[in-house]
Amino acid sequence: MAKRISLTRYLVEQQRVDGLIPGQLRLLLEVVARACKSISHAVNKGALGGVLGSADSENVQGEIQKKLDIIANEVLIEANEWGGHLAAMASEEMDGIYVVPNRYPQGEYLLLFDPLDGSSNIDVNVSIGTIFSVLKKPEGDRGVEAGDFLQAGHQQVAAGYCVYGPQTTLVLTVGDGVAMFTLDREQGSFILTQENVRIPEDTKEFAINMSNMRHWDAPIKRYVDECLQGVEGPRGKNFNMRWVASMVADVHRILTRGGIFMYPWDKREPNKPGKLRLMYEANPMGWLVEQAGGAATNGKQRILDIQPGQLHERVSVILGSKNEVERVTSYHSEL
Ligand code: AHM
Ligand code: MG
């Protein structure tokens, strides 16, 4: 029988062999995985668990919260606050940071998450997920503060997501490639199902919300228009299009078979750099994609090099197969 490697064993071996995962970080990743398992159960129950529908509240971004957004946020906080591995957490669903209460020991890491990405898909039974990013708390004896989170994406020490789809899959990087773990529901554990994930450099598949076309900037219009022209156009090949409207699911497809994902700045809200959030959506996804040989930019610069100015900062996102991302980025510099 093929050897089954659990997430726990994978992390222990990474810790032992490469020294990439210090003890506290290993605990943190195990706790996040446990929380994802619990969220997965809640998602699976759906209407039977009374978890569908809106919660009659808004988050800091002015978006209506779904019951599951709030449940997932609480699950992640409750799972992570007592273990002694974290100093503080930040979430799409909380205005400010959540400092680990005094009654628990404080650890050296900072955890950021989008507890339930793809909220518009919750009630229609389409894949959704949890995205997370881990940073180190800056050195020093003073207490943790919101400014400590404002680190560029290349300073992440771990990042990943868990997609709740036909299977529940946890995808992880600690800076040594990308590994995927599938939840074995009978055993209750995540089992390694793919290592050294690689994104093909070329692709014939793009993902963008086409209904926003009239609001896009010229470089995005040009790129998509060239794809749509197919074999008769300058690209000389036909393109396929997919848009799940859950970044986790779209990125998971790209990590699995390649493609390019774009959520660019557009004229609907010209003062915002984009829809997606830098620190707990674009940074972790950008790092995963880079670790799998892909690229991630905002059209002008590498996502991971952007210095955040605010916790809930938004960003334009172009990520996936390297040659396509470079093409879109080059169209921006030709302006
Ligand atoms: P959310 O975090 O509130 O769920 O929003 C983020 C989601 C992404 O998962 C997805 O790529 C995008 O919003 C879809 O947006 P749209 O509905 O505009 O196509
Ligand atoms: Mg999201």
Side-chain angles (χ1 to χ4, degrees), residues 92 114 116-118 131 277 281:
E92 179 178 324
D114 177 356
L116 211 61
D117 179 61
I131 310 174
R277 274 63 42 131
E281 292 179 321

Side-chain angles (χ1 to χ4, degrees), residues 50-70:
V51 295
L52 302 185
S54 295
D56 297 328
S57 54
E58 274 187 9
N59 66 13
V60 62
Q61 359 253 338
E63 299 159 341
I64 301 286
Q65 292 176 303
K66 296 285 176 68
K67 284 183 194 160
L68 264 174
D69 286 324
I70 293 173

Side-chain angles (χ1 to χ4, degrees), residues 75-111:
V75 167
L76 280 156
I77 288 176
E78 279 167 22
N80 277 288
E81 67 180 353
W82 50 269
H85 52 282
L86 280 184
M89 296 177 243
S91 161
E92 179 178 324
E93 305 304 340
M94 299 188 295
D95 301 10
I97 64 167
Y98 180 92
V99 178
V100 167
N102 282 337
R103 61 184 179 279
Y104 303 120
Q106 276 212 359
E108 52 187 302
Y109 291 101
L110 306 173
L111 175 65

Side-chain angles (χ1 to χ4, degrees), residues 59 63 92-93 114 116-120 209 212 243 245-248 250 261 263 268 275-277 281:
N59 66 13
E63 299 159 341
E92 179 178 324
E93 305 304 340
D114 177 356
L116 211 61
D117 179 61
S119 302
S120 71
N209 185 337
N212 298 325
W243 184 250
S246 289
M247 190 192 200
V248 275
D250 281 312
F261 169 96
Y263 211 122
R268 286 172 302 166
K275 173 182 179 181
L276 298 176
R277 274 63 42 131
E281 292 179 321

Side-chain angles (χ1 to χ4, degrees), residues 196-209:
N196 301 321
V197 173
R198 302 304 293 168
I199 300 176
E201 291 189 351
D202 294 299
T203 184
K204 290 182 183 178
E205 198 161 67
F206 67 95
I208 192 165
N209 185 337

